[in-house]
Amino acid sequence: MTGTGWWQGLAGPFSGRGWRATVHLVTGGPVALVGLAVLGVAAAPAVAVVALPFAVGAVLAASGALARAQRGRIREVLGEVIIPSPGERPKAGRPVREALADRYVWRRITFHLLAGVLHPSAAVVVVGLWSAAFALPVFALLGASGWLPEHSVLGDVLGGPVVWVAAGTGVVLLWVTPWIARGLAVLDVALARALLGQDRAARLHRRVETLTRSRTAVVAATDAERRRIERDLHDGTQQRLVALAMNLGMMRASHPDLPEIAEAHEEAKQALAELRDVVRGLHPAVLDDRGLAAALSGIAARSPVPVTLDVAIARRPSAVVESVAYFIVSESLTNTAKHSGATRADVAVGRAGDLLRITVRDDGTGGADPSRGSGLRGLADRARSVDGALAVHSPVGGPTTITAELPCG
């Protein structure tokens, strides 16, 4: 170990953490006693039954304010951040029965009651240890040097070898007291986290909310990126291909005897058709311009299998939900045309409250299994991306029914 490391190890108890723990414990005693007094004053009107609602409201407000003060003290002195429990700021007009049934209220009150006993005790212990740690070596030095009166109590006690015992005890306390202070501070923070912070259920709920918001942001960003790519392809590459196909068409009309031009013209038209399919697969412009009903009408018109379409949406859902619904119908009809052998398909889209319900049914041979292909699993993943659900019912021999429910509240 280097000299610097040895000195840091020796000075460990006297580092900033030890002193901060001491300050935390010493200030905790008065703060806890003031908190007990405030709670007592707030609860005093409860003696009169008619004043019980007022007393409950006062206790709620006082316990929440004291909890914020305690967390602030822990944060400023020790640097420990405790996430507050729900409902610290009581709502106006909250029923007494509801307030008394709130477990977080009782947890906060329990902390303040325990703190009223534990914090002053910890403060007394730490102050006593520090006092002894500094006083014993001083008195030992005075006794050894003969500065104490011969027939005084301290002079008699600190005579002979006792003076060295006192000096050694003081040195040991100087080393041990910071560690004791830090240990007591750790216990106090643990108690505050348990009673003033969020419990496991609240932490999980908060985590779920955070993940839900982040997932919604990712889905929205992905949808916006698809829209941007669609616009770039539609306004840039697609227009260039259209111009190229038109020029090749005019050259083909002027030079019908050149097969190379005719071949290039056909290739350009085929590339343009494929690009249009890609653009529609990314995000159809009609979906933004005219809504889900118009976009699905385009799908039904292009489907090789005859499609009966029924769309009844009184109020448009969000753009993300519309996009998911469009792709569910589009991919379902594509699978119907490729794999089912169906002669017709029925698509029904309607809104029931906060749910957008989608049903795609065909009269094909059935046997569709989401576990055996990525297409149906992809549709289920799209539905789950907006907290929706997708179910496939496809017995062997048919028919196949795909049902999706997407929240759009």
Side-chain angles (χ1 to χ4, degrees):
M1 182 181 291
T2 63
T4 303
W6 174 84
W7 171 251
Q8 288 177 348
L10 180 64
F14 304 98
S15 64
R17 286 184 294 177
W19 297 118
R20 286 197 299 269
T22 299
V23 173
H24 169 74
L25 295 172
V26 171
T27 59
V31 171
L33 291 176
V34 170
L36 274 183
V38 171
L39 284 179
V41 172
V47 176
V49 178
V50 293
L52 180 60
F54 173 78
V56 171
V59 169
L60 289 178
S63 65
L66 291 171
R68 292 190 292 274
Q70 289 281 15
R71 281 200 313 275
R73 185 175 65 87
I74 293 173
R75 182 181 64 251
E76 296 299 328
V77 179
L78 299 179
E80 296 284 345
V81 178
I82 299 177
I83 299 174
S85 60
E88 279 192 2
R89 301 181 184 274
K91 299 178 181 178
R94 187 181 187 186
V96 174
R97 181 179 301 176
E98 178 185 339
L100 294 178
D102 188 346
R103 68 180 185 277
Y104 292 108
V105 171
W106 292 109
R107 288 172 60 189
R108 288 193 292 271
I109 293 175
T110 301
F111 174 84
H112 298 313
L113 295 177
L114 291 176
V117 176
L118 299 178
H119 285 183
S121 302
V124 169
V125 169
V126 171
V127 170
L129 288 175
W130 277 119
S131 300
F134 285 106
L136 286 177
V138 172
F139 286 131
L141 179 61
L142 293 176
S145 60
W147 283 44
L148 293 176
E150 293 184 2
H151 300 292
S152 64
V153 176
L154 287 176
D156 294 338
V157 171
L158 296 177
V162 178
V163 67
W164 303 109
V165 175
T169 303
V171 172
V172 170
L173 288 178
L174 281 174
W175 178 262
V176 171
T177 300
W179 291 108
I180 295 175
R182 288 170 61 176
L184 292 175
V186 168
L187 293 176
D188 182 52
V189 172
L191 180 66
R193 287 190 187 280
L195 297 178
L196 297 184
Q198 297 181 345
D199 58 9
R200 186 171 183 271
R203 290 195 299 271
L204 289 176
H205 180 71
R206 183 170 176 267
R207 180 63 175 162
V208 168
E209 286 185 341
T210 302
L211 292 176
T212 300
R213 286 194 298 268
S214 62
R215 185 202 58 189
T216 302
V218 169
V219 171
T222 303
D223 187 65
E225 183 66 12
R226 282 201 301 265
R227 294 166 187 261
R228 184 192 65 78
I229 295 173
E230 183 272 331
R231 287 194 302 269
D232 291 346
L233 290 176
H234 183 272
D235 298 336
T237 308
Q238 184 171 307
Q239 299 305 319
R240 291 180 180 275
L241 277 177
V242 169
L244 176 62
M246 291 178 61
N247 291 333
L248 288 174
M250 290 186 291
M251 292 179 64
R252 182 179 184 179
S254 301
H255 303 82
D257 55 335
L258 294 178
E260 294 84 359
I261 296 178
E263 183 178 352
H265 185 216
E266 294 300 325
E267 288 290 338
K269 291 195 295 182
Q270 183 177 354
L272 182 59
E274 291 178 356
L275 180 61
R276 283 172 176 163
D277 291 338
V278 170
V279 169
R280 280 194 295 265
L282 287 172
H283 188 86
V286 67
L287 188 60
D288 290 333
D289 298 337
R290 299 173 56 192
L292 187 59
L296 295 183
S297 297
I299 295 177
R302 295 190 300 271
S303 174
V305 177
V307 177
T308 301
L309 182 64
D310 180 17
V311 180
I313 306 176
R315 182 161 48 94
R316 289 185 66 174
S318 67
V320 173
V321 172
E322 275 192 337
S323 178
V324 172
Y326 174 86
F327 285 110
I328 287 176
V329 174
S330 176
E331 291 298 322
S332 298
L333 291 179
T334 299
N335 291 337
T336 297
K338 287 182 178 181
H339 309 297
S340 71
T343 59
R344 61 174 291 105
D346 299 308
V347 176
V349 180
R351 182 162 179 168
D354 289 338
L355 286 179
L356 185 69
R357 290 179 177 169
I358 304 166
T359 303
V360 181
R361 186 178 184 275
D362 65 60
D363 61 352
T365 56
D369 186 359
S371 63
R372 293 187 304 179
S374 60
L376 292 176
R377 286 202 303 271
L379 294 183
D381 291 340
R382 280 186 181 271
R384 282 194 293 268
S385 70
V386 291
D387 281 338
L390 183 137
V392 179
H393 180 68
S394 182
V396 176
T400 297
T401 303
I402 298 176
T403 306
E405 290 186 345
L406 309 178
C408 53

